[in-house]
Amino acid sequence: MTSPPDATVAPFPRPAGRLRVGQISIDRLTFAEALDAIEGLIRAGRGGTVFTPNVDHVVLAEEDELFRSAYRDTDLSLVDGVPVVWASRLLGPRLPEKVAGSDLIRPLAARAATKGWRLYLLGAAPGVAQRVKEILERNYPGIQVVGAGSPNVDLAKDVADQKAVLDEVRASRPDLLFLALGAPKQEIWAHRIRQMLKPAVILGVGGSFDFIAGTAKRAPPWIGDVGFEWLYRLVHEPRRLWKRYLVRDPKFVVILARQMLSNARGSR
């Protein structure tokens, strides 16, 4: 475990500001600044949550009050999606760059290995988190991955129903918990358990475990850079993702247009 909380350390380096996109406020941080901000949360020892909103999150936040509440209380909100970065240019002040949860895992693992942070991996299909644990331990000598599991989380049930899982996590005393349940489940559940798992910082990483373990293919970086990672994923998993990308997420355009109109009226 890291050293006791230092009252002189801020929870994280204060961003230049936040940009609201729909119902979600997003911190204006570069990738490097985001890593430092997460480290700041860990050093502060007060726990917290870190979410990475994308187009789908913006749409879900319009419809789901529990999801909105989770975002309202999150300590860091880091943009995961080039289309949202592009949209910020129309809303201002613009977001500097994409900060994907999948891209954060390895740099944070490297810091954990040098700074003595204790990591816990939770989520994905059975066996996947354990595989990621083995990969991180092989690639980052000295890293302390103190647990890995795939809980069956049902948001309709009380958190007490996951007491055994939470007790196991608490007993491992993690500094940083990677939570891979997918939205909106991971954000809502992280919001519910954040106080129970303090001082652990909980970072929602979606499908990242599958990418690292090789059970799912991630788009090549150049496809993500031009904003078409969603299309790559749709082509590779059409049965699972068609409704999200072809039915739900196009609502983002309506949300953006409504906000631009509201901003224009407010500036008159």
Side-chain angles (χ1 to χ4, degrees):
M1 200 74 167
T2 52
S3 57
D6 183 347
T8 67
V9 178
F12 55 87
R14 288 296 170 186
R18 280 188 161 189
L19 172 70
R20 184 177 63 83
V21 182
Q23 300 294 324
I24 291 178
S25 293
I26 305 174
D27 291 300
R28 293 171 52 222
L29 294 173
T30 65
F31 190 88
E33 289 168 341
L35 290 172
D36 289 342
I38 294 169
E39 179 173 344
L41 278 173
I42 294 170
R43 289 179 60 203
R46 304 184 185 102
T49 59
V50 181
F51 300 150
T52 55
N54 55 27
V55 165
D56 195 52
H57 290 209
V58 173
V59 175
L60 286 170
E62 293 286 318
E63 307 165 353
D64 191 323
E65 171 57 31
L66 293 176
F67 194 58
R68 281 199 301 275
S69 295
Y71 261 104
R72 194 177 301 126
D73 293 339
T74 194
D75 298 273
L76 276 174
S77 177
L78 308 169
V79 63
D80 182 355
V82 171
V84 181
V85 175
W86 289 343
S88 74
R89 299 172 183 172
L90 302 174
L91 300 173
R94 62 173 294 179
L95 300 167
E97 62 180 320
K98 180 178 77 169
V99 186
S102 299
D103 294 330
L104 288 169
I105 291 181
R106 290 187 181 275
L108 287 171
R111 291 199 186 198
T114 61
K115 296 178 181 294
W117 301 343
R118 298 165 65 87
L119 304 185
Y120 205 105
L121 314 178
L122 211 57
V128 175
Q130 181 61 37
R131 173 63 178 150
V132 174
K133 178 180 184 292
E134 294 166 1
I135 291 171
L136 295 181
E137 288 173 339
R138 184 171 66 246
N139 292 343
Y140 304 98
I143 194 170
Q144 299 180 70
V145 184
V146 295
S150 179
N152 182 19
V153 175
D154 185 348
L155 294 180
K157 296 181 179 179
D158 192 89
V159 171
D161 290 325
Q162 278 90 37
K163 182 179 184 300
V165 173
L166 296 175
D167 285 347
E168 185 175 332
V169 174
R170 259 197 309 261
S172 299
R173 299 179 294 113
D175 299 294
L176 179 60
L177 169 67
F178 292 131
L179 185 62
L181 299 178
K185 181 183 288 185
Q186 77 185 6
E187 287 77 18
I188 295 172
W189 200 56
H191 187 238
R192 289 179 180 177
I193 66 175
R194 57 184 291 172
Q195 297 298 325
M196 303 176 197
L197 297 187
K198 289 174 67 173
V201 173
I202 305 171
L203 170 59
V205 296
S208 302
F209 290 178
D210 289 305
F211 297 146
I212 294 174
T215 51
K217 289 187 66 175
R218 191 179 181 192
W222 71 268
I223 292 181
D225 291 343
V226 297
F228 284 103
E229 186 169 0
W230 67 271
L231 183 58
Y232 182 93
R233 295 187 65 190
L234 177 61
V235 169
H236 284 80
E237 300 181 83
R239 185 171 297 179
R240 186 174 74 88
L241 296 175
W242 74 269
K243 185 172 289 187
R244 167 181 168 177
Y245 287 129
L246 300 181
V247 177
R248 189 167 71 212
D249 286 1
K251 298 175 185 177
F252 178 77
V253 176
V254 176
I255 295 168
L256 178 60
R258 185 176 65 217
Q259 187 170 343
M260 289 173 61
L261 181 60
S262 175
N263 289 353
R265 287 173 175 168
S267 63
R268 290 175 186 171

